[in-house]
Amino acid sequence: MTSPERVKVVVIGAGQAGLSVAYYLRRFELVADEDFVMLDRAPAPGGAWQHRWSSLRLGTAHRVNDLPGMAELGLSFDTADRALPAKAVVADYYGRFEQHFDLRVRRPMNVRTVANEGIDLVVESEDLAPQSIQEPEEQKARGLFGRRRKTFEEPGPPAAPRHRIATQFLVNATGTWGSPFVPFYPGMAEFEGRHVHTSDYTDAEDFRDKHVVVVGGGTSAIGFMLELEDVAAGLTWVSRRPIDWLDRQELDLEGASAAVAKQDEAARSGRALPSIVSGTGVPKSRRIAAGIERGLLVARPVFDRIEADRVVWRGDEGGGMARADVIIWATGFRPELRHLSPLRLREKAGGVTVGQGAAWSDPRIFLAGYGPQASTIGANRAGRMIARQIMAML
């Protein structure tokens, strides 16, 4: 086995949190591709935003805060064109940011494992560029639980080139998009329609004249309901908990601070992280308020079971079922940490114990964008905090 490349810091992920850390490392005069390396699985700049649906606009979901140093480029999401898809705006701005600060992000690189090797951390990744990528239409047709059987004669994909990097410090900024969460309900495997997660959603037209059930109580579920209102043949919204509507247009700092505090408490105790919306509530924009008034945005409790072409509530009289051709699971994501499993960071309580951005069980490892840093403004603050800690130990 050849000797690994050696650097001081490896940053995994080039979304908001990863770019924020890299910006401050550059401010401390570390040089990309010499002192630190950035690895990103996505094919282009834009973080998770590049995978979101085209109809999503800035201002219709959680606020996107500017990256630190973005003003130097004359850019701000507050003044961005809201007529364009959010994915296009974010990809453009992040791409310009990477180029301006010479971050030299290596992509598409999939990090498979991070393991201890002596005093070093060794990051093993594979270069996805030579591999054939599944066509979006094929993936969409299979749905969330779709699987295509491989015949005996069918050759597998060519092995991706592997790379190994030894580093003193690791910054994990992989976010959550690659780890969608779908809760289990009886009968879901027998459903003959399509299971679609938020991460699979591309266009409302995919569901024209279908009977759609949307599961979830956050902004994505609400957005899907509004988009599908005049497209779907039937539309049902269910939520595990009652929606906490806020009588204001935007989330105030008090509500946001309470949610961040809950995230921080869970991270420091090594528990699984609660959802952000469970701690903030949902502000009623004019569009949302109108949807509530006309009876669209009224969520039922979650069904008890799923059958071949419907969802069913136990014990209800009359309205105990809803027809379903598609179930959209707007049920959130979990931190994407599988590649860190050799390091045994996860606690019995289900999470990773993290304080001030660092894993308490291993001070060489930092988790940017984890827990209280998951918001874009939290990721910016974490970038500075993590970079300072790394520089103090180098």
Side-chain angles (χ1 to χ4, degrees):
M1 182 178 294
T2 59
S3 298
E5 178 182 1
R6 186 171 297 277
V7 294
K8 296 175 181 176
V9 185
V10 170
V11 180
I12 306 174
Q16 180 89 17
L19 292 178
S20 179
V21 172
Y23 167 80
Y24 286 107
L25 292 177
R26 294 286 289 119
R27 287 282 299 270
F28 285 119
E29 299 185 350
L30 268 61
V31 178
D33 265 355
E34 295 180 20
D35 300 312
F36 73 93
V37 164
M38 291 197 74
L39 304 174
D40 189 47
R41 184 172 56 196
W49 282 93
Q50 67 192 277
H51 305 300
R52 295 178 184 250
W53 50 102
S54 297
S55 60
L56 189 63
R57 299 293 188 269
L58 293 173
T60 61
H62 295 299
R63 185 168 183 256
V64 183
N65 287 275
D66 293 344
L67 290 164
M70 210 161 79
E72 188 177 316
L73 287 73
L75 300 175
S76 174
F77 289 117
D78 291 337
T79 57
D81 188 348
R82 299 199 172 192
L84 295 174
K87 61 188 292 183
V89 176
V90 176
D92 177 38
Y93 284 16
Y94 280 16
R96 289 201 246 175
F97 183 91
E98 290 179 14
Q99 184 174 17
H100 180 81
F101 291 107
D102 193 25
L103 300 182
R104 306 183 189 183
V105 180
R106 301 181 186 181
R107 59 167 59 94
M109 300 294 292
N110 178 49
V111 175
R112 295 179 58 87
T113 62
V114 181
N116 286 300
E117 195 167 293
I119 62 171
D120 293 323
L121 292 164
V122 174
V123 181
E124 182 177 303
S125 61
E126 57 186 358
D127 187 349
L128 299 180
Q131 289 190 301
S132 59
I133 305 299
Q134 179 177 290
E135 292 297 327
E137 289 300 325
E138 181 185 354
Q139 184 179 24
K140 186 164 55 178
R142 294 181 195 176
L144 183 64
F145 301 137
R147 298 288 186 271
R148 184 171 66 90
R149 293 184 180 275
K150 179 179 172 181
T151 64
F152 180 78
E153 296 80 9
E154 182 181 357
R162 298 288 180 90
H163 303 269
R164 299 173 74 243
I165 305 175
T167 183
Q168 293 174 253
F169 297 98
L170 177 84
V171 179
N172 190 79
T174 48
T176 62
W177 189 260
S179 186
F181 171 71
V182 177
F184 172 80
Y185 287 96
M188 61 196 309
E190 284 70 47
F191 183 55
E192 295 179 356
R194 288 179 58 199
H195 288 286
V196 177
H197 188 269
T198 300
S199 57
D200 303 312
Y201 186 97
T202 55
D203 195 297
E205 282 298 321
D206 295 336
F207 310 102
R208 179 164 290 281
D209 300 328
K210 302 291 186 183
H211 291 266
V212 181
V213 175
V214 178
V215 184
T219 53
S220 293
I222 294 165
F224 296 152
M225 290 295 295
L226 291 167
E227 284 196 16
L228 295 168
E229 182 179 14
D230 298 322
V231 176
L235 197 52
T236 304
W237 183 25
V238 301
S239 175
R240 186 167 59 88
R241 62 171 63 89
I243 310 303
D244 181 15
W245 298 114
L246 304 177
D247 290 320
R248 47 183 172 267
Q249 289 283 313
E250 295 181 353
L251 186 66
D252 65 7
L253 290 177
E254 183 180 351
S257 298
V260 168
K262 289 183 179 180
Q263 291 273 320
D264 188 43
E265 180 186 0
R268 287 178 180 273
S269 62
R271 301 197 314 271
L273 302 176
S275 68
I276 290 290
V277 74
S278 68
T280 63
V282 180
K284 286 193 288 188
S285 66
R286 291 187 180 89
R287 188 180 180 212
I288 287 175
I292 296 172
E293 186 175 345
R294 64 179 178 269
L296 171 70
L297 297 179
V298 178
R300 297 186 63 176
V302 175
F303 41 80
D304 294 293
R305 68 180 186 275
I306 303 171
E307 296 183 354
D309 61 350
R310 68 193 65 198
V311 296
V312 179
W313 288 263
R314 185 184 301 114
D316 283 4
E317 297 295 334
M321 57 79 66
R323 182 177 166 185
D325 301 309
V326 180
I327 301 176
I328 299 179
W329 298 93
T331 45
F333 300 81
R334 296 292 183 264
E336 188 174 4
L337 303 175
R338 290 183 296 271
H339 53 288
L340 301 182
S341 59
L343 302 176
R344 302 176 183 267
L345 301 176
R346 195 176 292 277
E347 306 285 355
K348 291 182 179 179
V352 177
T353 304
V354 177
Q356 301 295 307
W360 283 13
S361 61
D362 193 329
R364 302 170 299 169
I365 300 167
F366 296 86
L367 285 85
Y370 183 86
Q373 308 162 8
S375 66
T376 52
I377 190 168
N380 287 354
R381 292 170 179 164
R384 181 173 61 246
M385 176 176 61
I386 288 172
R388 284 177 173 172
Q389 292 180 76
I390 289 173
M391 295 308 298
M393 291 187 286
L394 280 175

